[in-house]
Amino acid sequence: MDATGALPQTKLSASNHDFSRSFPRARSVVSVARRSSVAFQQPDKLRSRELLVVSSSNSANKGMAASGGSYLSGPVLKRNPVGQAFFAAPVVGVDPYCEGFVDSHLHVTEEKVGVLLLNLGGPETLNDVQPFLYNLFADPDIIRLPRPFQFLQKPLAQLISVLRAPKSKEGYASIGGGSPLRKITDEQADGIKMALESKGLTANIYIGMRYWYPFTEEAILQIKKDKITKLVVLPLYPQFSISTTGSSLRVLQNIFSEDAYLSRLPIAIIQSWYQREGYIKSMADLIGGELQKFAKPEEVMIFFSAHGVPLTYVEDAGDPYKDQMEECIYLIMQELKARGSYNDHTLAYQSRVGPVQWLKPYTDEVLVELGQKGVKSLLAVPVSFVSEHIETLEEIDMEYKELALESGIENWGRVPALGCTSSFITDLADAVIEALPSAKSLSTTRSTSEEADHDFLSYAIKMIFGSVLAFVLLLSPKVITAFRNRLF
Ligand SMILES: C=CC1=C(C)c2cc3[nH]c(cc4nc(cc5[nH]c(cc1n2)c(C)c5CCC(=O)O)C(CCC(=O)O)=C4C)c(C)c3C=C
Ligand SMILES: [Fe+2]
């Protein structure tokens, strides 16, 4: 990192490895991925690449698709604009023969599986707060400037980070002087490693944070050093947003496309996993447990509070975040109903920053309204993130709790973040195992020049076909008559 706190611009050198063939493919495994376009760019200027991506799913979403509604009127499953594939088939077993590859010198080498966990990162000390904020605001997926103004990104990031730092520092000071994110993510990584081992898969787990240590760039350097032969990318965000998973994938895309070894490395990306049965059930377990702490559990309003995004992300750039969030909450509520809990529930968005409109309704406004409407017992459920962090520990536990109590809510509870809940960690390990057979390298997809050739060819075909069609039409009796009658 440089003196201003900017994150390192890591350039990864080309590798000598030529992993020209990979064999044998899984035999008893049903591939879980579909070929689909992944946007690593901002979706409004997509240069999508053919890459194998996995949307981790299972019977839960199939059931929901069948129900065919939306959160209020029942959800509808959509293929989202960032090219996400839904409804993967279940894995039926792990191929005992799928354990090696042949390098260019025809030596059989052992498969080395890596799992890259992507996360946001957080300042570990109060001195880290301003440079962390700089990294966050310098991200074009966080502050999306129109193209002619993009040169202002870094000066603007510097300005906003300096202006916001005192308020953020206060928040971090109130939760012990720094973000707990690194520690929790380390523990989750250990948990996933152990869960994978218990399922017969040895894997190296890497943590790639977007805005603080250990940066994604560092994790990728380590993946290269360790000569990983297959990589599963698992963002620790249940729902996809351009501002979170999308931003991290863009970093990966930039690094991978410039590096010979990485562009040949078979990789599977789990873009979102909010609909996995294991995750939904783990959330329902936690909610059910907290409901029982109230004197009258059936009277408690379940209040889902998700981190917001600016409205333009959803409305203009096609961020699937809101749809996925609503679907996720629908599934959790279905699970609770199946367990006999019929509580009222609502969803609101928290943590807005800056003057623009964010996803509504806003958490603070809804809390006040609910208090005024006479809701007396409320259980807050953080739903967009799986670790405790500043927005659960400070914003929800302190600010929103105080606001709720002032507004007339008498009984307040909060569901803890999933953290290392064992059913949840096991489910993430399953998601990795299911994704593994679909790993595919960037270089096996069409190259840019092939794409350009293809584009030129299709352009030429269209031109020729169009000219012939125009010629035929012009010579057609009707057109000739129309010309004669001066209708054009
Ligand atoms: C799904 C989760 C998140 C989304 C979506 C998201 C979008 C988003 N965030 C900001 C601005 C800030 N986020 C900050 C902290 C922060 N954000 C998330 C998660 C999501 N952000 C987490 C988990 C954290 C906390 C990390 C930690 O240290 O514990 C901050 C810094 C804290 C603060 O000053 O409030 C900012 C700023 C934007 C602008 C945005 C979408 C465009
Ligand atoms: Fe955020």
Side-chain angles (χ1 to χ4, degrees):
M1 204 177 64
D2 69 20
T4 65
L7 64 89
Q9 289 296 305
T10 316
K11 280 263 181 279
L12 297 166
S13 61
S15 148
N16 296 327
H17 290 275
D18 176 15
F19 302 142
S20 51
R21 285 175 56 209
S22 124
F23 97 107
R25 290 242 164 257
R27 292 197 318 178
S28 58
V29 177
V30 179
S31 172
V32 295
R34 293 184 186 177
R35 190 168 286 277
S36 138
S37 275
V38 184
F40 289 101
Q41 310 292 322
Q42 295 162 19
D44 54 350
K45 44 182 162 131
L46 276 184
R47 269 197 310 116
S48 51
R49 264 176 184 269
E50 283 267 289
L51 224 188
L52 269 178
V53 293
V54 177
S55 176
S56 191
S57 64
N58 54 20
S59 56
N61 56 8
K62 287 174 193 147
M64 194 207 35
S67 78
S70 78
Y71 165 48
L72 292 172
S73 57
V76 181
L77 274 188
K78 292 175 188 165
R79 176 170 279 275
N80 70 47
V82 286
Q84 188 175 346
F86 293 111
F87 296 144
V91 167
V92 292
V94 175
D95 184 356
Y97 301 99
C98 185
E99 55 193 18
F101 66 88
V102 179
D103 69 15
S104 54
H105 310 291
L106 290 174
H107 296 131
V108 176
T109 315
E110 208 189 324
E111 186 91 280
K112 273 188 96 178
V113 174
V115 177
L116 173 59
L117 304 179
L118 299 175
N119 211 339
L120 189 118
E124 284 165 66
T125 68
L126 294 184
N127 286 337
D128 298 340
V129 171
Q130 187 274 326
F132 160 79
L133 289 175
Y134 172 84
N135 290 338
L136 189 129
F137 291 118
D139 177 359
D141 289 313
I142 286 284
I143 295 188
R144 304 175 72 246
L145 294 173
R147 199 181 283 268
F149 298 105
Q150 278 169 7
F151 71 98
L152 288 174
Q153 186 93 39
K154 286 184 177 167
L156 205 60
Q158 186 63 28
L159 181 71
I160 302 173
S161 63
V162 169
L163 292 177
R164 190 173 170 89
K167 182 173 179 273
S168 284
K169 273 187 186 176
E170 259 179 48
Y172 283 106
S174 72
I175 62 164
S179 170
L181 214 53
R182 184 173 188 164
K183 183 173 167 288
I184 298 170
T185 313
D186 278 343
E187 288 164 5
Q188 287 171 329
D190 290 345
I192 292 170
K193 187 174 176 60
M194 275 165 29
L196 286 173
E197 257 155 32
S198 74
K199 290 167 189 287
L201 180 72
T202 303
N204 286 6
I205 317 289
Y206 303 89
I207 295 173
M209 299 292 198
R210 181 68 183 86
Y211 306 117
W212 206 246
Y213 298 96
F215 286 107
T216 310
E217 290 82 348
E218 300 171 49
I220 293 171
L221 277 177
Q222 196 58 49
I223 286 166
K224 279 191 76 170
K225 266 193 203 149
D226 293 348
K227 297 189 172 67
I228 289 301
T229 64
K230 227 175 219 186
L231 184 68
V232 177
V233 176
L234 175 60
L236 288 176
Y237 309 97
Q239 306 85 7
F240 181 100
S241 167
I242 296 166
S243 59
T244 53
T245 300
S247 168
S248 285
L249 293 183
R250 190 172 50 78
V251 170
L252 286 190
Q253 162 73 1
N254 290 341
I255 298 171
F256 274 57
S257 60
E258 284 178 13
D259 183 279
Y261 160 73
L262 293 168
S263 63
R264 290 189 184 125
L265 174 65
I267 162 172
I269 300 169
I270 302 171
Q271 286 210 49
S272 63
W273 38 267
Y274 64 92
Q275 73 287 52
R276 286 188 66 83
E277 205 173 306
Y279 164 71
I280 297 293
K281 287 195 161 152
S282 304
M283 285 297 288
D285 289 346
L286 291 186
I287 295 170
E290 292 303 315
L291 280 176
Q292 293 317 312
K293 295 182 182 167
F294 287 83
K296 292 183 179 164
E298 67 286 354
E299 287 178 11
V300 176
M301 161 75 82
I302 301 177
F303 185 92
F304 292 96
S305 188
H307 196 304
V309 294
L311 197 59
T312 52
Y313 280 53
V314 174
E315 292 197 342
D316 302 339
D319 198 334
Y321 182 71
K322 179 173 179 280
D323 282 351
Q324 294 192 358
M325 190 60 71
E326 290 175 0
E327 208 177 300
C328 175
I329 282 151
Y330 172 84
L331 291 170
I332 295 172
M333 290 312 299
Q334 287 293 99
E335 179 61 29
L336 285 170
K337 274 183 201 151
R339 298 176 183 197
S341 299
Y342 295 89
N343 296 65
D344 285 339
H345 72 283
T346 192
L347 164 66
Y349 293 92
Q350 66 175 81
S351 319
R352 60 189 189 276
V353 184
V356 297
Q357 270 209 56
W358 283 55
L359 281 183
K360 281 184 178 167
Y362 298 143
T363 294
D364 46 1
E365 292 178 0
V366 178
L367 285 175
V368 175
E369 277 167 28
L370 291 175
Q372 285 167 353
K373 278 185 191 158
V375 171
K376 293 288 169 225
S377 301
L378 189 138
L379 179 60
V381 186
V383 74
S384 46
F385 210 63
V386 293
S387 309
E388 296 297 344
H389 60 288
I390 188 166
E391 277 132 11
T392 54
L393 300 170
E394 197 265 341
E395 208 171 350
I396 298 184
D397 288 354
M398 299 178 196
E399 287 180 40
Y400 293 146
K401 181 179 176 182
E402 198 181 314
L403 183 65
L405 297 181
E406 278 170 11
S407 307
I409 290 161
E410 288 166 7
N411 309 304
W412 168 271
R414 205 264 285 177
V415 166
L418 282 162
C420 286
T421 305
S422 69
S423 57
F424 164 62
I425 294 293
T426 304
D427 191 51
L428 288 184
D430 286 341
V432 168
I433 290 171
E434 289 165 24
L436 205 50
S438 68
K440 198 130 177 52
S441 67
L442 274 177
S443 65
T444 55
T445 61
R446 275 191 304 152
S447 70
T448 316
S449 62
E450 276 171 325
E451 256 165 39
D453 288 350
H454 183 264
D455 286 349
F456 177 74
L457 195 68
S458 64
Y459 175 75
I461 290 169
K462 276 181 203 154
M463 283 300 288
I464 293 166
F465 184 73
S467 307
V468 171
L469 193 69
F471 191 67
V472 170
L473 277 174
L474 276 173
L475 289 182
S476 80
K478 272 192 184 163
V479 176
I480 291 168
T481 317
F483 264 117
R484 278 202 192 122
N485 296 338
R486 296 170 192 266
L487 291 177
F488 284 104

